Amino acid sequence: MEWSIQEIARRAGTTSRTLRHYGDLGLLAPSRVGSNGYRYYDQDALVRLQRILLLRELGLSLPAIKGVLEGQRDTAVALRAHLRLLEQEQARIGRQISSVRTTLHRTQEGMELMAEEVFDGFDHTAHEREVTERWGREAYEEGDRWWRSLGEAGKKAFLDEHEAIARDWGRAREAGLGADSEQAQDIARRHCAWLSSSSGAPSRSYVVGLGEMYVADPRFGKNYDRYGDGTAAFVRDALTIYAEQRLTD
């Protein structure tokens, strides 16, 4: 069985242009090209596209994905590894949903909150390896000590502040404000102040790099794009302007 490029694009939630781009990069070759020039894809191509999309969800760049696919010839082994990651993420999100439901119920009923329930699924150590690779072991350990020192109220206040900032970013983008507008730059100021509460005043390069990561890595970008598509890019642009005008390295 095979499917046309339009059918695959529609079912995968992507575009024909993207699939052609994957083909040009050597990531996803069509199983055949018809006399009319249309591209068709068989089952093997579908499995390969699924792996590409899964790796994109993990934040890998297209060149990195190509390297992974070339290094993992055994499709079954690769899919089992993907499945484990997805199941872990599903379990974590399930715990977060349960945590929020419990918090909502307890607050509505005037009941005492339990810290282990409020923060279940919000594991700040989940990105330990990534933070260590990006900014060094010392940076992770410093952040870890800071987080553990906050106490229950401090942790909740920190998360609530970020939620308020993310929501305001979404409102500013939806209102059509420019990244350099006074309102957007004030949110950028608050965002940087929030960052400074965990690790001191952030440098220009740190804030610019963080903004880029919000767009490049969907795990972080979704914190903003859930308030409207394009919000993460808006955050990046506003933070970059703020950093270049107000911060130093």
Side-chain angles (χ1 to χ4, degrees):
M1 187 174 181
E2 62 180 13
W3 297 263
S4 70
I5 189 170
Q6 292 88 352
E7 289 175 316
I8 295 302
R10 184 178 67 255
R11 293 178 184 276
T14 185
T15 65
S16 298
R17 181 178 180 180
T18 296
L19 296 181
R20 287 193 293 270
H21 181 55
Y22 289 168
D24 294 340
L25 293 177
L27 276 172
L28 183 69
S31 53
R32 73 178 179 90
V33 178
S35 58
N36 55 4
Y38 286 2
R39 303 183 184 198
Y40 295 89
Y41 300 84
D42 59 14
Q43 287 194 151
D44 289 340
L46 259 63
V47 173
R48 187 173 177 88
L49 177 58
Q50 183 187 60
R51 293 176 64 190
I52 292 170
L53 297 177
L54 287 168
L55 291 168
R56 287 292 280 169
E57 284 291 325
L58 294 176
L60 272 67
S61 65
L62 294 180
I65 290 175
K66 185 176 181 180
V68 170
L69 294 178
E70 290 176 349
Q72 292 182 335
R73 298 296 182 181
D74 192 324
T75 301
V77 171
L79 288 175
R80 278 194 290 269
H82 284 311
L83 183 59
R84 284 195 299 271
L85 289 173
L86 291 171
E87 289 172 340
Q88 290 171 4
E89 182 68 4
Q90 180 186 48
R92 186 185 68 81
I93 292 175
R95 287 164 54 203
Q96 287 188 346
I97 292 173
S98 177
S99 172
V100 173
R101 282 177 175 163
T102 299
T103 301
L104 178 62
H105 172 70
R106 287 183 177 274
T107 53
Q108 287 180 330
E109 298 297 323
M111 301 168 65
E112 183 179 357
L113 295 175
M114 306 295 290
E116 61 269 24
E117 294 177 337
V118 172
F119 298 112
D120 188 29
F122 296 90
D123 184 6
H124 73 287
T125 64
H127 302 294
E128 175 179 355
R129 179 178 178 184
E130 184 168 5
V131 171
T132 300
E133 290 177 350
R134 284 180 181 270
W135 294 294
R137 184 66 191 176
E138 183 178 350
Y140 170 77
E141 292 178 348
E142 181 180 348
D144 182 61
R145 286 192 298 270
W146 167 81
W147 178 255
R148 294 181 187 280
S149 72
L150 283 182
E152 297 172 14
K155 290 175 180 177
K156 184 176 184 303
F158 182 77
L159 295 173
D160 286 347
E161 175 63 13
H162 178 258
E163 184 67 20
I165 291 171
R167 186 167 54 248
D168 287 345
W169 279 126
R171 289 171 176 168
R173 182 209 56 78
E174 186 176 8
L177 299 177
D180 60 348
S181 66
E182 181 179 350
Q183 296 93 324
Q185 287 302 292
D186 186 60
I187 302 174
R189 177 192 59 78
R190 289 167 51 204
H191 196 125
C192 289
W194 175 75
L195 291 171
S196 69
S197 66
S198 63
S199 57
S203 67
R204 175 192 299 155
S205 58
Y206 175 81
V207 172
V208 171
L210 197 64
E212 291 292 347
M213 189 172 69
Y214 289 159
V215 175
D217 193 327
R219 293 171 301 171
F220 296 95
K222 66 184 179 183
N223 292 323
Y224 304 101
D225 281 339
R226 62 196 172 99
Y227 289 107
D229 290 343
T231 300
F234 180 72
V235 174
R236 176 201 58 196
D237 295 344
L239 285 179
T240 298
I241 292 171
Y242 183 87
E244 291 178 345
Q245 293 181 352
R246 305 293 183 88
L247 303 180
T248 60
D249 282 328

